[in-house]
Amino acid sequence: MTTEDPIDDLLTAAGERWRAAQPPPPEPDMSRWVTPRRRNWLIPVGAAAATVLAAGALVFATHREPPEPTPGPAVVAADPAALIVRDGDLVEASGRVEDAQMCAPAPVAGDSCPYSIGVPAVAPTDGVTLHGRWHPGELSEIRQMPYSPSSAGSGGSVYDLPLTPPCVAPPGGWPADDEWGTPEVEDPLRDYLRAHADRFAEPFATHSGDARILVVRVVRGDVAEARAALTAVYTANICVVAAPGSRTIAADEELRATVGQAVGTLMGDRSLGIYSAAPEDGRMRVQMVQLTQPLYDRLVTIGLDHLILDPWIRPVVR
């Protein structure tokens, strides 16, 4: 496609020569939950995620209202098969760069950059969008583009969570609480929600300033009664709202036990690069480094109708 601006056309052509060179990233040790004390939320990753999904464990701090996807006009987004990347394809990826490696927006479990791709000669930065040719392990013909954060996951910063919780702040505002990620704080609420899984939807986290707020949605029953019960077992910031008609935790647990278990098996093979999977609107959103043909073929056997494929590295429309 051409424009009336020749410089724009030159930049576009150069960018297209830059975006299809994505490799499989180094595999981290992800045998545990991430339970940081302030900025990260609880998220299952790697082999641990397979166990979490298969066991149907409640992953309430993982689930958040996802932002509307904002892929650039040149990035493939609709047909799952069109998201497949092959050696030499022009691709786009966004993230931070350290030591000539661009880090995927995967949950952090010990390694600060558990999944990455080589980006030779790109200077360290907290955020950059690159076009390049994808090859297993690195990008070539790299060109820096206007920065657009990836929608394929989050590094776990509290500032990545949605703004404006759907509750009025308490007198004095929402306090910044350093203890919210500890088992002592989270487990009693997790246990309560699991015991009443047919009454609540999956909670999600939001924030206001430095304060992280967990939003719990009541699908069935009295909201005031539920709020009293939940605040009695949860000492961190909580917002309890009515959500009649929403999918319940019980429904999502059933999804995890079926589709989630199949995805969890694939997550056990870390070379496939799947770093997160969680229920969303009756399907499993699967976040991965890149969608290769072998991974696509494996996901087809699970059933694409049950999945939302969300790769970090995406082909650019030619």
Side-chain angles (χ1 to χ4, degrees), residues 83-94:
L83 294 169
I84 297 171
V85 296
R86 299 174 177 87
D87 197 353
D89 281 351
L90 182 65
V91 298
E92 178 177 286
S94 297

Side-chain angles (χ1 to χ4, degrees), residues 182-207:
T182 63
E184 294 80 7
V185 171
E186 304 295 341
D187 286 354
L189 177 62
R190 190 190 314 276
D191 293 342
Y192 185 89
L193 293 176
R194 185 184 291 112
H196 302 85
D198 60 338
R199 292 183 52 199
F200 298 96
E202 291 273 7
F204 64 93
T206 183
H207 80 99

